[in-house]
Every structure is written in structure tokens, then in C-alpha cells.
Amino acid sequence: MVETMPGDALSGGPEDDFLRLDQQVCFSLHAASRAFNGVYRSALKDLGLTYPQYLAMLVLWEHGELPVKRIGEHLRLDSGTLSPLLKRLEAAGHVERRRSSEDERSVTVRPTEAGAALRERARAVPRRIAAATGLPLERVRALREELNALTAALDSADPVAASPCTAESD
Amino acid sequence: MVETMPGDALSGGPEDDFLRLDQQVCFSLHAASRAFNGVYRSALKDLGLTYPQYLAMLVLWEHGELPVKRIGEHLRLDSGTLSPLLKRLEAAGHVERRRSSEDERSVTVRPTEAGAALRERARAVPRRIAAATGLPLERVRALREELNALTAALDSADPVAASPCTAESD
DNA sequence: CACGATTGAGTTGTGCACAACTGAATCGCG
DNA sequence: CGCGATTCAGTTGTGCACAACTCAATCGTG
């Protein structure tokens, strides 16, 4: 019977280095994302928003009024995630949803007055987050660029998750 | 009645730049994490593992046998997340759980033979992921370092999410 | 030894993410 | 015009993440 002990001869190949390195990258990303989420959780508690709800409000504050579809494009989320999220934002009085009269399939979302007022209170949030990162702004900017490039690469490499028409079909 | 139009005079302050930049950083991280998840979803489909389950198996493959507590320390996850995840891994026949005889509170988890065998098939995964990132290994390593530093900073800045004894109490 | 505090795993409830699907509205081509 | 294909929002089901909690085992100190 073969014992698969850690550090054994069985796990000495370069494949395992790959495995280990790889694990670090994706896991670091995963952990950093959750750590950010935790800090936002604290920062947003006063506003009664979760982090994804905050992202949705950012989009709406910036664009004023958008169909669900457009919000999804900004956040890279589909209706399966957005519909319940927006319903919760509506229940909390932050947004208003109504069917478009031009296209009855579409639902237009926009901040209520209370939702717009919330923006003022949200102004304090980014400062807290920036302080928590402990990084200079340039560093943050560089990191952002790299992550965006990485996301684009991953999306285009994964024909399932990416937009169906992204891959060249010629 | 005040219209809060996008790009209006109301949103011209430096606060909004902060808001916008901030949104980019955390959101980029969030999006990259989800993009990674999507690629792993494809790569792990054959193995019948989700991405978090894969992470747990990586830890177990490396260490051979661990109590739930230790797995949680490696992955930065608590029992609320791990317990159901490990039960699913057990139901799939990948791991075995049993109460420690030394400390009846503790549950020791280790790969079954089938779970250990799965490792061989998992060796193909990192290559696929590395290819999908389209980044050279050095770049990946640098990114990992930065993300780890960021996570550490965020954890220490958030007294709730971090270890209760992290903050100095003197 | 006794008893309060702590530790470890598990459960419950909420919310996010995503695949797969439904159903209605719209589009487009014959 | 008519009818199949597409688009959009929403629903369902599964799984992860986390807060708050339960409960039993263990520890520490008197």
C-alpha cells in the first residue's frame, strides 16, 4: 500500500512547483478580494449597503438612470445576480424600478431621492478604504491596470464565461 | 427640484475622483477574482471540483492530513464555510473525516485513495490556468507579492475581520 | 475536584455568483 | 403580415462567504 505523504518522492516533480505557484496567484487574488470585502463591510455598515450593492449604486450615481442590462455590463453581472440585488435596493428605498415604455422587456433603474442623498454619505468611504490599503495611489493605479489586463485575458481565454461573440469565428 | 445629473456641477469635486478611482481598484480585484473563478470552473469541471473545493484539496494534498481548524488557517476560512464544503468533498468520496481521539472537539480530514488519485489528474490544471493568464511567471509572482501585502494591510486595518489579537491592546 | 472561560466544529440565516431555465416582448426575414 | 429567433428580466437551484449562534470538549485557576 502506497502512502502519499507530504513532501514525499511522489510530489517532487516540477509539476508540483507549478501547482504551488499557481495556487498562490489565484488564491492571493481570492484572499485579497475577500479582505477588501471585509473592509467595505465595515465601512458600508452605516449606509446599510453591502459591497455589491455599493458598486451598483456607484454605477447609478454616475449614470443617473440605467436599464438592468447596462448595469450588468458595467459590473459584469447577469440578471440572475442583479435582479434580487436591485429588488433589495428597492426594498431599502434606494432605487426605483419601472418597465420601460419604449421596450416592455427592459426595466429602468434609478436612484430615489433617498438613494441620491446616500451619495453624500458615501463620499467618506473611499478615503477609509484608501487608508486601509496602505498603498500610494500610483501603486494602486498600477495594480488596477494589471488586474484589468488579467481579467481581459482570462475572459477571452474562457469561451464560456466571456461574451459569446468575443472569439473570432472566421 | 434638484436634478442630480451625471457629470453635473454636483459631482465635480475631488471627492468624486477618489470615489471613481477607489471603485476601480476594488472592482478590478473583484472582477479579476470572478474571472479566475470562471476559468477554474471550466478547468475543474472534469474533476468534479469547484474552485474552493480545489483549494481545499491542494492544502490536503500538500499536508496529507489536517484538522478543520488548520485548513481554515491556510485558506483564511472559518468553519461556517468549511464544514459544508468538506461534507460535500466527503460525499463525493474525495476526503474522509473523523473525530480526533486526542481531542474530541477536533475533526481530522484527509484525502481518500480516490482523493489522492485525483491529484494526478489535477496536475494538468495549473498549466491551463497559466496559459489563460497570458502573463510571464515573474509578472505573476510580482502580482502575488503585491496582493499578499495588500491583503495583510487590509486585514490589519479591519479589526473585525482580522484575528482578534492582531491589534495591540497596550 | 469544580466551575467559568475558551476552543473547535457545526448550524442557521442572509446575500452574492452563476448555470439553466421560463416567459413575455421585440426583431427580422420570408 | 406571420412566425421563428433573439433579447431582456426574472426564477430556481447549487455553492461560497460570513455573522451569529449552539453545543460539547477541553483548559485554567482557585
Side-chain angles (χ1 to χ4, degrees):
Chain A
M1 178 174 184
V2 179
E3 292 277 337
T4 59
M5 291 297 289
D8 209 50
L10 281 177
S11 37
E15 302 281 357
D16 287 309
D17 287 348
F18 250 134
L19 245 180
R20 199 159 295 120
L21 178 63
D22 157 73
Q23 191 258 359
Q24 297 289 350
V25 191
C26 59
F27 173 63
S28 294
L29 199 55
H30 192 63
S33 181
R34 286 188 289 131
F36 247 124
N37 215 302
V39 175
Y40 271 103
R41 195 188 314 279
S42 304
L44 294 173
K45 194 182 296 178
D46 296 344
L47 305 186
L49 292 176
T50 66
Y51 173 57
Q53 288 168 7
Y54 170 72
L55 291 180
M57 292 306 295
L58 281 185
V59 171
L60 289 171
W61 285 328
E62 189 170 348
H63 296 90
E65 168 175 309
L66 284 176
V68 173
K69 178 77 173 178
R70 292 276 165 275
I71 300 175
E73 285 168 2
H74 282 288
L75 300 180
R76 296 171 167 272
L77 292 173
D78 65 5
S79 66
T81 300
L82 281 177
S83 286
L85 186 152
L86 292 170
K87 282 178 78 169
R88 282 187 284 269
L89 282 179
E90 186 180 44
H94 299 318
V95 305
E96 198 175 49
R97 296 185 307 151
R98 67 169 220 283
R99 290 266 159 199
S100 165
S101 51
E102 301 163 10
D103 186 342
E104 289 285 337
R105 293 171 302 181
S106 177
V107 166
T108 300
V109 185
R110 66 167 172 173
T112 59
E113 283 195 27
L118 203 61
R119 183 183 198 176
E120 302 310 312
R121 295 210 286 144
R123 286 186 202 277
V125 171
R127 202 180 303 277
R128 286 186 57 175
I129 303 298
T133 65
L135 291 178
L137 288 185
E138 313 166 352
R139 200 91 166 154
V140 168
R141 181 184 301 268
L143 182 58
R144 169 167 62 82
E145 301 296 337
E146 191 133 27
L147 290 173
N148 287 344
L150 182 57
T151 300
L154 291 172
D155 273 357
S156 68
D158 186 9
V160 179
S163 170
C165 301
T166 301
E168 62 278 76
S169 52
D170 193 358
Chain B
M1 172 175 185
V2 179
E3 293 277 338
T4 58
M5 292 296 290
D8 208 51
L10 281 177
S11 37
E15 302 280 358
D16 288 309
D17 287 347
F18 251 134
L19 244 181
R20 197 160 295 121
L21 177 64
D22 157 70
Q23 192 259 357
Q24 297 288 352
V25 192
C26 60
F27 174 65
S28 295
L29 199 56
H30 193 64
S33 181
R34 286 189 291 131
F36 247 124
N37 216 303
V39 175
Y40 271 104
R41 195 186 314 280
S42 305
L44 294 173
K45 194 182 298 176
D46 297 343
L47 305 187
L49 292 176
T50 66
Y51 174 57
Q53 288 168 10
Y54 171 71
L55 291 179
M57 291 307 294
L58 281 186
V59 171
L60 289 172
W61 286 329
E62 190 170 347
H63 295 90
E65 168 176 310
L66 284 176
V68 173
K69 178 75 174 180
R70 291 277 167 274
I71 300 175
E73 286 169 1
H74 282 287
L75 300 179
R76 296 173 167 272
L77 292 172
D78 65 6
S79 68
T81 299
L82 282 177
S83 285
L85 186 152
L86 292 171
K87 282 178 78 168
R88 283 187 285 269
L89 283 180
E90 185 179 44
H94 298 319
V95 304
E96 200 177 49
R97 297 185 306 150
R98 67 168 218 285
R99 290 268 159 198
S100 165
S101 51
E102 299 165 13
D103 186 341
E104 289 285 338
R105 292 171 303 181
S106 177
V107 167
T108 299
V109 185
R110 66 167 172 174
T112 59
E113 283 194 27
L118 203 62
R119 184 183 195 176
E120 303 310 311
R121 295 211 285 144
R123 285 185 203 277
V125 170
R127 202 180 304 278
R128 286 186 58 177
I129 304 298
T133 66
L135 292 177
L137 288 185
E138 311 166 352
R139 201 90 166 156
V140 167
R141 181 185 300 269
L143 182 58
R144 169 167 62 82
E145 300 296 336
E146 191 133 28
L147 289 172
N148 287 344
L150 182 56
T151 300
L154 291 173
D155 273 358
S156 68
D158 186 8
V160 178
S163 171
C165 302
T166 301
E168 62 279 77
S169 52
D170 192 0

